[in-house]
Amino acid sequence: MTTDKDPMTNTAETRQIAEEDRLRADLYNFLGLLLAGPPNEMLLAQTAGLSGDATEMGQAIGTLAKLAKVTKPKTATSEYNKLFIGLGRGELLPYASYYLTGFLNEKPLALLRQDMVRQGLERADNVFEPEDNIASLMEMMGAMIVGRFGAPASLDAQRQFFNKHIGPWAGHFYADLEGAKNSVFYAPVATVGRLFMEIEAEGFRMSGE
């Protein structure tokens, strides 16, 4: 995952974030947490407490909550390892470079690192994953929306970052995660992610017209 250079939150800026944007940031951060590593007992309990509505997204959240209630941390860890770590590699490689070029550590990662410098983001010292992994990108987007590393990013800046680093591949990744043979708990996580990427892409498209 990533960290911001200044860990202090600009509370005056943060208070001015619209409720809709705060909810968007919360969902990005939630997905980032679930994809950064296997959920512990506390995160599973928080997830089990979620409730959905009759919409497709609401139903996916409801399914995720039901699964979280019956999933033990040990089971979630085993599933996470099969999906993303494995012996040598997991079932999926959740990196922009891989999805866009077929190889790890390629141009998409270099371009992301350039934009991270411009946004004041840097990788945390205890993280060794390439920055273009899906969990880090979800966290970065959430941080940009609420201004965790300075002023909140403008809608145009959010759109540019999303369209450049997330939009071209994240939906494909989430669809693959939905259908992965080892996905049980992570299947509804993937559904939530896929639907959210569709909503975000459409929202950015409409705001850019």
Side-chain angles (χ1 to χ4, degrees), residues 60-137:
I61 289 172
T63 300
L64 176 57
K66 288 175 185 174
L67 269 176
K69 286 176 185 172
V70 298
T71 300
K72 303 295 183 187
K74 185 176 179 180
T75 306
T77 297
S78 175
E79 181 179 336
Y80 185 90
N81 289 341
K82 289 174 184 175
L83 285 167
F84 302 119
I85 299 174
L87 292 172
R89 58 160 284 186
E91 189 176 347
L92 300 175
L93 288 171
Y95 303 96
S97 288
Y98 181 77
Y99 267 81
L100 296 175
T101 72
F103 300 94
L104 295 173
N105 302 313
E106 287 293 325
K107 189 175 180 181
L109 176 58
L111 294 173
L112 173 63
R113 285 173 172 165
Q114 291 172 11
D115 282 348
M116 286 175 66
V117 170
R118 281 193 282 270
Q119 295 287 352
L121 284 166
E122 59 183 16
R123 185 163 64 174
D125 293 337
N126 62 341
V127 173
F128 305 102
E129 291 270 307
E131 295 91 326
D132 65 339
N133 73 81
I134 189 70
S136 288
L137 284 164

Side-chain angles (χ1 to χ4, degrees), residues 48-59:
L50 298 174
S51 59
D53 53 26
T55 65
E56 194 175 2
M57 173 68 89
Q59 289 175 9

